[in-house]
Amino acid sequence: MLPADPRYLGATVTEEGTNFAIWTSGADAVELCLFDEVNGELVESRYSLSHRNGPIWHGYLAGVRPGQKYGYRVHGPWIPEQNLRFNPAKLLLDPYAHELSGELQYVPEIYGHQSKDGWGNGDLTLRDIRDSAGKVPFSVVTDHKPRQINRIDHRWAHTYIYEAHVNGLTANNLEIPTEERGTYKALGHPSTIAHLQGLGITALELLPIQAFISEPTTAERGLQNYWGYNTMSFNAPHPQYAATSDAVGELQWAVSQLHHAGIEVILDVVYNHTGEGDEIGPTLSFRGFDNQSYYRLTEGGRFYANWSGTGNSVNLTHPMVLRLVTDSLRHWVTHYGIDGFRFDLGPILGRQDPAFSQDAGFFAALRQDPVLAGVKMIAEPWDVTRYGLGEFSYPWREWNDFFRDSVRQFWLGDLA
């Protein structure tokens, strides 16, 4: 492979091919894996990323175009008692992927350790050598560019937010074609917009649409995660909410339609944890690239800090992890036109050592960013171990659960 431009992480399409760049500080080797279907069979081609700029591994491949499925395999030490969990048998999602293809299968092959079932139960000390390709989603090369966005920017005093679920909002709307109900496309349908305008709202806040997975405990019961608070890809829209194979295009169109109607779009985002869970969870992306950097660890690195209540907490004190999250936020703003964000479990984002700080690096990064400083920022001001209502300083706003509960009690007549 030829060298790529290491300044741009992810897959970047050029006129004749695609640049690939990934960050990992503890790996011994990194392989880029391309997947194609030949005569009904999935064929994998592996390429060593032999070019490095410090911890950034990169390479250029001519002829790779948008739509190409890919993933990574990362070689390195397996020392689980120190939370070093490199395993090249596990295909990894690109943290910068803008589109995903395929669904996760809960089978033993998706775990880095030797699991005896699809839920991670087994020997945590032994590295599993079974291949996970075909049982985990693929990253997809895209060529979507930043768009010209006509911003509305309602003043806070005139902002009336309606919180909704992409599927739940339109699933039973008979005015929408059956195949489009519950999808991104349905968000921009005239009947949806008329309903929102009739309510008098000025902003639609969507429950999580970053690509997510079901938790093993949920899948084990034959159920699926409905609400979306288990993110696996910060930059890709959840593909199952698309009426077609073009989730990116559908969501961009829907946001444009809502903007044309004078309605801002706010995303409920989950950057505090990922769907990889705790030490018995699957190896799907971050854990396989650089587990010690992406997650907050305890007891010498053996276990995960679980301030989220879901098994792990993302380490925003690491500069490259902070870069990933801020790059992701900018992507949603510049490529989709998103007008603001509501941050799930906000205090985790501001934990330093591990005390919460209003001056944490995450908040400082957002304040100085020329793109992000101009969008609405809303905190859910609590996590599993901390309640921080009133602690998020300007320009942040907060969810106030006391006000919410009081209004709910008033309208339901439950004043006791």
Side-chain angles (χ1 to χ4, degrees), residues 22-24 27-32 47-50 55 57-58 72-75 289:
I22 199 75
W23 173 82
T24 169
D28 295 330
V30 178
E31 291 178 304
L32 169 67
Y47 302 85
S48 175
L49 291 185
S50 57
W57 306 64
H58 56 93
Y72 288 97
R73 298 184 187 276
V74 180
H75 300 254
F289 278 111

Side-chain angles (χ1 to χ4, degrees), residues 145-174:
K145 299 290 193 302
R147 307 165 65 223
Q148 181 65 40
I149 308 297
N150 296 318
R151 299 217 163 271
I152 305 167
D153 195 21
H154 294 300
R155 294 170 51 196
W156 274 110
H158 297 154
T159 298
Y160 306 98
I161 300 173
Y162 184 84
E163 182 186 31
H165 186 281
V166 169
N167 180 273
L169 178 62
T170 63
N172 297 316
N173 186 341
L174 300 181

Side-chain angles (χ1 to χ4, degrees), residues 207-222:
L207 272 68
I209 63 168
Q210 294 167 304
F212 62 87
I213 60 174
S214 296
E215 303 83 346
T217 53
T218 301
E220 188 176 10
R221 290 176 287 160

Side-chain angles (χ1 to χ4, degrees), residues 180-249:
E180 295 180 6
R181 296 173 195 166
T183 69
Y184 299 125
K185 198 167 186 179
L187 295 176
H189 192 273
S191 64
T192 303
I193 291 176
H195 171 67
L196 296 174
Q197 289 177 322
L199 294 173
I201 63 101
T202 63
L204 175 64
E205 181 182 308
L206 296 175
L207 272 68
I209 63 168
Q210 294 167 304
F212 62 87
I213 60 174
S214 296
E215 303 83 346
T217 53
T218 301
E220 188 176 10
R221 290 176 287 160
L223 303 174
Q224 292 184 334
N225 183 313
Y226 179 75
W227 299 108
Y229 291 93
N230 203 41
T231 304
M232 200 57 252
S233 184
F234 292 152
N235 295 292
H238 192 58
Q240 282 71 43
Y241 287 158
T244 67
S245 60
D246 185 14
V248 173

Side-chain angles (χ1 to χ4, degrees), residues 31-113:
E31 291 178 304
L32 169 67
C33 307
L34 304 186
F35 292 86
D36 298 282
E37 193 169 305
V38 180
N39 297 325
E41 296 288 332
L42 189 65
V43 176
E44 177 181 357
S45 302
R46 300 189 186 186
Y47 302 85
S48 175
L49 291 185
S50 57
H51 303 283
R52 293 183 62 180
N53 278 51
I56 297 177
W57 306 64
H58 56 93
Y60 170 80
L61 278 179
V64 174
R65 307 311 298 159
Q68 174 69 58
K69 298 176 183 178
Y70 73 101
Y72 288 97
R73 298 184 187 276
V74 180
H75 300 254
W78 173 265
I79 313 175
E81 62 271 20
Q82 298 178 20
N83 240 321
L84 290 168
R85 298 173 179 270
F86 294 101
N87 189 338
K90 309 307 164 183
L91 186 72
L92 305 178
L93 284 170
D94 182 351
Y96 276 79
H98 295 155
E99 187 175 336
L100 305 186
S101 175
E103 297 188 32
L104 177 66
Q105 301 175 34
Y106 272 104
V107 292
E109 290 88 337
I110 70 173
Y111 296 91
H113 63 276

